[in-house]
Amino acid sequence: RDPIITQRASKFEEATDRYFDWLQFISADRFPRDFFFKKGSTAESKWMELEDGRNAEWYFDEASKPQLKSVKKIVKEDEDVVEKSEAVRSIEVSPRETEADATGDQQSLERKLDRTLYLVVKSSAGEWTLPQGEIKSEELLHEAARRNLKELCGGRMSVWMVGNGPVGHHQTDQACTFFIKGHILSGQAQAGVELASEFKWITREEIEKTVSAEYWRAVKDMLSTI
């Protein structure tokens, strides 16, 4: 599963974005608020608060900071504007961390929304691997991948196989396993299917802690770091 939201920015990235935003602000022409905002409206008031906040910032020598007047004004809002502003304030932004994150539910697709998640299954022998199975005669790799995924994890997932060729392989004394990249579009895997007793949706780092060291060395280079 691909990331759903952007990754959380580091402190350096946040500071850099804020700095370049500020450079653009101080080098831009003054904003004609009388043209864009209704006089005395909530939008005008919010803009003036933002403008004063930016004017207060200075990234260089304090002695060279220009003296700027506040653009704030005491505004009187009409009833229609007040009702609209209350409606806007009632909107709540969903948190980046979900209930699945809080409970540690690794079978949920609603976890680690800013990361790529991979489906791993537990075989009847108790080993955790990416979904895999045998290929039948005259069967293409991507066809075998789709069939094995359905047999292992049920038919409730809609999956798009990105290509017909493998993105990696795992060689052992007994067999060679080729991996086909696929994206889940909808649905969910099923637990308790005969060939896969358990499943997890986990990140690259979690895979390293779940699978064997030999298996990790074989698959790590084809896993995304995002």
Side-chain angles (χ1 to χ4, degrees), residues 165-217:
V167 296
H169 75 283
H170 177 220
Q171 179 74 52
T172 65
D173 295 336
Q174 291 77 29
C176 182
T177 303
F178 293 94
F179 296 99
I180 303 292
K181 185 177 182 180
H183 292 295
I184 181 170
L185 303 178
S186 62
Q188 174 60 291
Q190 292 176 259
V193 179
E194 183 179 355
L195 297 178
S197 58
E198 296 181 45
F199 72 90
K200 296 180 182 179
W201 290 99
I202 54 180
T203 64
R204 173 192 172 94
E205 294 79 13
E206 291 169 336
I207 288 179
E208 182 179 8
K209 298 176 182 178
T210 302
V211 302
S212 67
E214 179 188 358
Y215 192 82
W216 167 249
R217 287 192 295 269

Side-chain angles (χ1 to χ4, degrees), residues 44-55:
E44 184 189 40
S45 177
K46 293 293 184 183
W47 176 84
M48 288 190 291
E49 290 179 7
L50 178 62
E51 189 81 353
D52 278 353
R54 286 176 167 176
N55 284 334

Side-chain angles (χ1 to χ4, degrees), residues 97-130:
E97 293 188 354
T98 65
E99 183 179 351
D101 290 317
T103 59
D105 183 6
Q106 292 187 326
Q107 291 192 345
S108 173
L109 280 163
E110 300 300 319
R111 66 183 299 267
K112 303 290 185 183
L113 299 182
D114 59 344
R115 297 296 308 278
T116 300
L117 293 183
Y118 296 93
L119 176 63
V120 295
V121 295
K122 189 176 183 180
S123 67
S124 55
E127 296 180 351
W128 285 98
T129 64
L130 297 169

Side-chain angles (χ1 to χ4, degrees), residues 1-205:
R1 190 219 64 188
D2 285 337
I4 297 174
I5 60 178
T6 57
Q7 285 191 296
R8 192 185 303 275
S10 66
K11 291 184 179 180
F12 177 77
E13 290 171 329
E14 290 179 349
T16 301
D17 290 343
R18 186 176 178 183
Y19 174 67
F20 281 107
D21 182 59
W22 177 79
L23 285 179
Q24 184 179 16
F25 166 72
I26 63 171
S27 61
D29 294 333
R30 295 298 89 185
F31 183 73
R33 74 172 188 274
D34 293 337
F35 180 79
F36 288 94
F37 298 125
K38 179 180 178 181
K39 198 172 185 64
S41 67
T42 300
E44 184 189 40
S45 177
K46 293 293 184 183
W47 176 84
M48 288 190 291
E49 290 179 7
L50 178 62
E51 189 81 353
D52 278 353
R54 286 176 167 176
N55 284 334
E57 293 182 321
W58 190 250
Y59 285 83
F60 308 110
D61 182 15
E62 284 294 324
S64 64
K65 182 178 180 180
Q67 297 296 320
L68 299 175
K69 294 182 179 179
S70 172
V71 296
K72 283 186 178 180
K73 292 182 178 180
I74 299 175
V75 296
K76 185 176 180 180
E77 304 166 337
D78 56 56
E79 293 182 359
D80 292 338
V81 174
V82 172
E83 290 178 0
K84 291 179 181 178
S85 66
E86 289 176 350
V88 171
R89 284 196 294 267
S90 66
I91 298 176
E92 296 183 3
V93 179
S94 299
R96 295 178 67 91
E97 293 188 354
T98 65
E99 183 179 351
D101 290 317
T103 59
D105 183 6
Q106 292 187 326
Q107 291 192 345
S108 173
L109 280 163
E110 300 300 319
R111 66 183 299 267
K112 303 290 185 183
L113 299 182
D114 59 344
R115 297 296 308 278
T116 300
L117 293 183
Y118 296 93
L119 176 63
V120 295
V121 295
K122 189 176 183 180
S123 67
S124 55
E127 296 180 351
W128 285 98
T129 64
L130 297 169
Q132 61 190 47
E134 295 182 352
I135 183 171
K136 297 180 178 179
S137 59
E138 300 183 357
E139 191 176 35
L140 299 177
L141 281 177
H142 69 281
E143 294 173 341
R146 186 183 296 277
R147 176 183 56 76
N148 280 295
L149 182 63
K150 183 176 181 179
E151 291 176 355
L152 284 169
C153 304
R156 296 182 181 178
M157 285 191 296
S158 175
V159 178
W160 170 53
M161 294 302 172
V162 178
N164 296 341
V167 296
H169 75 283
H170 177 220
Q171 179 74 52
T172 65
D173 295 336
Q174 291 77 29
C176 182
T177 303
F178 293 94
F179 296 99
I180 303 292
K181 185 177 182 180
H183 292 295
I184 181 170
L185 303 178
S186 62
Q188 174 60 291
Q190 292 176 259
V193 179
E194 183 179 355
L195 297 178
S197 58
E198 296 181 45
F199 72 90
K200 296 180 182 179
W201 290 99
I202 54 180
T203 64
R204 173 192 172 94
E205 294 79 13

